């Protein structure tokens, strides 16, 4: 499993094999885009559907109120 991010200039990839747990991978990936310079940016998630997004909420709430 992996997460890839692209902000129009820079790209990052986070591979589960590089982390101790899926929690660590998600928190690291989300931390990389939860920065002031990305405030008010839109985020698009590819290959997610209805039920899949429930799992993302767990990690997003780590950063505060949703």
């Amino acid at each position: 499993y992996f997460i890839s991010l692209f902000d129009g200039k820079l790209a990052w990839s986070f591979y589960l094999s590089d982390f101790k747990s899926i929690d660590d991978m998600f928190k690291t990936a989300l931390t990389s885009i939860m920065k002031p310079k990305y405030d008010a940016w839109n985020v698009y998630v590819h290959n997610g559907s209805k039920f899949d997004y429930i799992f993302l909420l767990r990690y997003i709430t780590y950063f505060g109120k949703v």
Side-chain angles (χ1 to χ4, degrees):
Y1 295 100
F2 75 98
I3 299 170
S4 289
L5 303 170
F6 179 65
D7 73 357
K9 293 182 182 178
L10 300 174
W12 304 270
S13 292
F14 303 89
Y15 295 91
L16 183 55
S17 59
D18 295 334
F19 296 90
K20 292 182 180 182
S21 70
I22 196 166
D23 292 341
D24 290 342
M25 181 182 72
F26 267 99
K27 288 177 183 176
T28 302
L30 290 172
T31 298
S32 70
I33 62 169
M34 299 293 283
K35 297 181 179 178
K37 76 177 195 174
Y38 296 121
D39 284 354
W41 282 43
N42 293 317
V43 175
Y44 298 92
V45 179
H46 181 68
N47 283 347
S49 65
K50 301 172 188 168
F51 183 74
D52 297 337
Y53 290 117
I54 293 170
F55 298 104
L56 289 176
L57 287 176
R58 174 179 173 198
Y59 300 104
I60 294 170
T61 59
Y62 170 79
F63 294 96
K65 187 177 178 181
V66 177

